[in-house]
Amino acid sequence: MQLSGLLQILLSSLATGALYALLLFGMLIVYRVSKAVNFAHGALGMMAAFITFTLAARTQPLWVGILAGLAAAAVISFATDRFILEPISRKAGRDGLDLVVTLGILLLLTAVAEALFGTTTRSFVPLGTDVPVEIGDLFLNLNQVVVTLGVLVLLAGFAWFLSKTQFGLAMRAVATDPALAKSMGLNVSRVRGATWAFAGLTAGVVGIVVASRLSLDAYYMTPFLIKSVIAGIIGGLDRFVAPLTAAFGLALFEGLATYAIGTNYGTPAVFIVVILLLAVLPKRFLSEKGVVRV
């Protein structure tokens, strides 16, 4: 493989890894605050993309559709926690119901999307995928460049937010010990609700961007969700740096495997390597609690 070809794969994989990382990021902040694994996270992005596509097709300005899609994802995510998962979390002996509930919401959102928008695969708005960006001998598109830089800035900004702002410190307190945080006067329900809404917003962004790169149907976000969850399992759901790094690493390996053995074998190669990693990695590199529950 020539150096230029390797660099091309690295940059393209970085652009894909940014989406894996952003999707996983939303799941991580939800898990940290509410100890729930949201398997409907990818479906939120799918709904955001369908709403954006529908409004844009009806001669509305594109930005109106995007805002409406993002708002819908945030509202659905917020409602999932406030009206379903938070009441469940107050009941003793109900561990694991978050998995059942979010899987049920995943199936519900998929069925609703098929009922409202049909089962036909659609071409989404390009959103910069048709604008080439040349860096020497390397070729990307504007979508990849903007999204990758945006995700890196967001992750760095969130690290600052957690350590320097009052609400960030409140999130950390709730994540550490909700009962203690409540006894100190923090509104735990408010923190949870804001976290879930923001996570839904990030899922909406990923759903819209992925649709612009691929195509739109009720299932297109499922592979992204699965790979993001895998990265979370490898790095540990109760951390940030390790699982987000694993998301980029997973995308890089997928890109190299696809280049080496073909498109049809790239994804199976990823799963084989993940199984081997989980079998041989020392427990200290994994979040045992997160792995067992997932």
Side-chain angles (χ1 to χ4, degrees):
M1 183 188 301
Q2 296 181 348
L3 179 60
S4 60
L6 177 61
L7 290 176
Q8 181 69 57
I9 293 174
L10 288 174
L11 287 178
S12 298
S13 299
L14 179 64
T16 302
L19 292 177
Y20 291 162
L22 184 57
L23 192 66
L24 176 59
F25 170 72
M27 298 186 71
L28 291 176
I29 61 175
V30 160
Y31 183 80
R32 287 293 298 272
V33 169
S34 59
K35 298 299 181 286
V37 180
N38 184 12
F39 283 111
H41 196 61
L44 297 174
M46 176 267 294
M47 292 299 294
F50 264 118
I51 291 171
T52 299
F53 178 85
T54 301
L55 291 181
R58 294 180 178 177
T59 69
Q60 295 290 342
L62 178 60
W63 65 268
V64 173
I66 292 176
L67 289 179
L70 295 179
V75 169
I76 295 172
S77 185
F78 171 83
T80 298
D81 180 59
R82 177 57 56 87
F83 302 114
I84 303 176
L85 289 177
E86 189 175 358
I88 288 175
S89 68
R90 299 194 194 104
K91 300 178 181 179
R94 310 292 282 184
D95 291 343
L97 277 183
D98 57 301
L99 304 181
V100 177
V101 169
T102 57
L103 281 172
I105 294 174
L106 165 63
L107 296 176
L108 175 62
L109 291 178
T110 301
V112 169
E114 288 189 320
L116 294 178
F117 308 111
T119 58
T120 304
T121 300
R122 296 169 169 82
S123 296
F124 199 74
V125 183
L127 295 181
T129 56
D130 55 347
V131 179
V133 176
E134 297 184 23
I135 307 173
D137 295 332
L138 307 177
F139 297 91
L140 296 172
N141 60 60
L142 186 61
N143 181 295
Q144 292 174 310
V145 174
V146 171
V147 170
T148 302
L149 293 177
V151 168
L152 294 177
V153 170
L154 172 66
L155 296 179
F158 187 75
W160 174 88
F161 172 82
L162 279 180
S163 60
K164 301 297 184 180
T165 68
Q166 184 175 358
F167 195 83
L169 294 174
M171 285 183 62
R172 293 172 62 183
V174 172
T176 302
D177 191 332
L180 180 60
K182 186 175 182 179
S183 69
M184 295 173 61
L186 293 177
N187 190 329
V188 174
S189 181
R190 178 188 173 195
V191 172
R192 283 181 59 133
T195 302
W196 275 79
F198 180 70
L201 192 66
T202 63
V205 171
V206 176
I208 291 171
V209 172
V210 173
S212 72
R213 294 186 185 183
L214 303 176
S215 56
L216 178 61
D217 60 39
Y219 301 95
Y220 78 101
M221 283 297 294
T222 301
F224 271 77
L225 177 70
I226 292 174
K227 292 169 188 176
S228 296
V229 171
I230 287 173
I233 294 173
I234 293 173
L237 294 174
D238 58 350
R239 305 171 188 176
F240 280 113
V241 176
L244 294 176
T245 301
F248 282 102
L250 195 66
L252 175 58
F253 177 80
E254 183 180 19
L256 292 171
T258 299
Y259 178 85
I261 59 180
T263 304
N264 293 332
Y265 302 100
T267 298
V270 168
F271 284 102
I272 291 173
V273 169
V274 166
I275 291 171
L276 294 176
L277 280 175
L278 293 177
V280 302
L281 278 178
K283 288 184 178 181
R284 65 179 178 274
F285 290 131
L286 301 172
S287 168
E288 294 182 38
K289 186 176 180 180
V291 172
V292 171
R293 293 186 76 251
V294 174

